Amino acid sequence: MTNQLSRIITIIVICLTSSFVSAQNKSIPLYQGKIPNSTGAPEEEIRENNNILLISNVQKPALEVFTPPKRNRNGKAVIICPGGGYHYLAYDWEGTEIAKWFNSKGITAFVLKYRLPIAKTVTNKSEVPLSDAIQAIKMVRKNAETWNINPNDIGIMGFSAGGHLASTLGTHYNMDYNIKNDPYKDISARPDFMILIYPVITMEATYTHRGSREALLGKQPTDEIIDLYSNEKQITKNTPPTFLLHCEDDDVVPVENSLLFYKALKENNVPAEMHLYPKGGHGFGLASNNAHLQTWTQRLYEWLWKMSNN
């Protein structure tokens, strides 16, 4: 083998190795030191994988970072909240797989492993998922330059109960949990846009998802807290532009959740786009095996493109 050929092979190996390393995603803890609203008791996170990776009893909330190739990045970023009824996180189905799709479109994605209110180690249970989401978007915004993203083009996305969390962030982003020595205290937690996929929206008994409501608010919530977390009642003119997706035959989270939210958005002159599919049920993720339903990702990409060019 000639010296020149050896050098060429070495260069190729280095380039491939560099590409591999740069493509690796990493998990970043949301908090340094003591985690707020936590007893600190020694509990373990639970991971189960039976076609879908389910994570429960989250103890250390974190962001997993997915970056597209540098040449394809467009500066947009999305934080993804997997669903699971506030009992667990469908972490790959409604998290990492979605992040990879965003990467294919040049969008940096972050999967949020947020704490669940049913965990024994969690205090102030109804506040904890939102406090983790607030911390997540502040962290991303403050470090936008590190990930080559636009700090004014960061959205929140959620599926099912994760959609409730995302819509709670979009309507309650000014809530202050007084985290001691918070390095992000002066950073805005307002998302620049929201993407809500078959979301739980209301806590009102008629249309809510009972399991999500009981996990978040308890078995006998007051009318006040029901109203506070019925996010269709919390929309203002400052609520971020929103993309909504739901199936009319959803027998887990009624389609009325999206309808109520969309109606309130329009009443407050907030830009919104809603897509309703007649069939598809609940929890379909990317819907890769449904030729009609899987087109929802194209609808989303078109909406994001329009948002960027308005």
Side-chain angles (χ1 to χ4, degrees), residues 7 33 68 90 92 126 137 156 178 203 256 267:
R7 283 197 297 270
D92 53 355
S126 64
I137 195 166
I156 190 77
N178 298 313
M203 293 287 108
E256 283 80 4
E267 288 172 350

Side-chain angles (χ1 to χ4, degrees), residues 256-284:
E256 283 80 4
N257 281 266
S258 286
L259 294 172
L260 287 167
F261 202 74
Y262 180 79
K263 181 174 182 290
L265 289 168
K266 300 309 293 180
E267 288 172 350
N268 285 273
N269 297 312
V270 176
E273 182 169 308
M274 179 170 61
H275 291 270
L276 300 180
Y277 285 75
K279 295 187 181 297
H282 188 78
F284 47 78

Side-chain angles (χ1 to χ4, degrees), residues 82-309:
Y86 283 126
H87 284 73
Y88 57 84
L89 305 179
Y91 194 75
D92 53 355
W93 188 251
E94 295 171 346
T96 58
E97 293 302 313
I98 310 301
K100 293 170 187 175
W101 176 83
F102 276 119
N103 282 179
S104 75
K105 301 300 182 183
I107 299 169
T108 302
F110 302 82
V111 180
L112 177 58
K113 187 175 72 172
Y114 56 94
R115 287 173 294 165
L116 301 160
I118 62 169
K120 293 178 181 178
T121 52
V122 164
T123 60
N124 299 317
K125 293 180 179 295
S126 64
E127 298 179 1
V128 162
L130 177 57
S131 66
D132 287 351
I134 287 174
Q135 185 78 351
I137 195 166
K138 286 185 173 187
M139 175 187 289
V140 171
R141 184 161 279 137
K142 183 170 183 178
N143 295 285
E145 186 175 352
T146 301
W147 290 303
N148 297 298
I149 60 179
N150 181 349
N152 299 313
D153 202 2
I154 302 169
I156 190 77
M157 179 185 203
F159 293 76
S160 195
H164 184 263
L165 175 54
S167 64
T168 306
L169 178 62
T171 53
H172 298 69
Y173 52 83
N174 283 326
M175 291 184 75
D176 186 0
Y177 292 114
N178 298 313
I179 297 173
K180 292 183 178 179
N181 303 315
D182 182 9
Y184 310 115
K185 183 174 179 58
D186 298 323
I187 305 294
S188 171
R190 180 186 181 274
D192 295 295
F193 56 90
M194 289 193 289
I195 303 167
L196 307 179
I197 311 299
Y198 40 85
V200 178
I201 293 292
T202 189
M203 293 287 108
E204 294 283 354
T206 305
Y207 294 123
T208 193
H209 178 250
R210 292 279 183 171
S212 297
R213 171 174 137 158
E214 186 171 316
L216 186 67
L217 305 184
K219 293 185 177 181
Q220 295 181 313
T222 64
D223 290 342
E224 182 181 12
I225 200 167
I226 288 172
D227 283 349
L228 180 64
Y229 287 99
S230 290
N231 293 329
E232 78 280 7
K233 297 182 178 183
Q234 305 300 325
I235 292 171
T236 71
K237 64 180 181 179
N238 295 319
T239 299
T242 303
F243 178 95
L244 289 147
L245 172 74
H246 224 117
C247 287
E248 295 174 31
D249 67 343
D250 191 329
D251 60 359
V252 177
V253 177
V255 68
E256 283 80 4
N257 281 266
S258 286
L259 294 172
L260 287 167
F261 202 74
Y262 180 79
K263 181 174 182 290
L265 289 168
K266 300 309 293 180
E267 288 172 350
N268 285 273
N269 297 312
V270 176
E273 182 169 308
M274 179 170 61
H275 291 270
L276 300 180
Y277 285 75
K279 295 187 181 297
H282 188 78
F284 47 78
L286 290 171
S288 300
N289 294 324
N290 185 321
H292 179 53
L293 186 55
Q294 69 178 245
T295 62
W296 77 262
T297 54
Q298 184 59 31
R299 305 290 80 78
L300 172 58
Y301 180 66
E302 291 166 355
W303 180 76
L304 289 169
W305 188 88
K306 285 186 291 185
M307 290 283 298
S308 297
N309 290 277

Side-chain angles (χ1 to χ4, degrees), residues 3-42:
N3 289 339
Q4 184 177 5
L5 182 58
S6 296
R7 283 197 297 270
I8 291 172
I9 292 173
T10 300
I11 291 169
I12 291 172
V13 170
I14 290 172
C15 289
L16 289 174
T17 303
S18 298
S19 298
F20 178 77
V21 171
S22 66
Q24 297 310 289
N25 49 292
K26 60 180 179 179
S27 185
I28 302 171
L30 284 188
Y31 305 98
Q32 299 298 325
K34 187 178 185 304
I35 298 172
N37 293 318
S38 173
T39 65

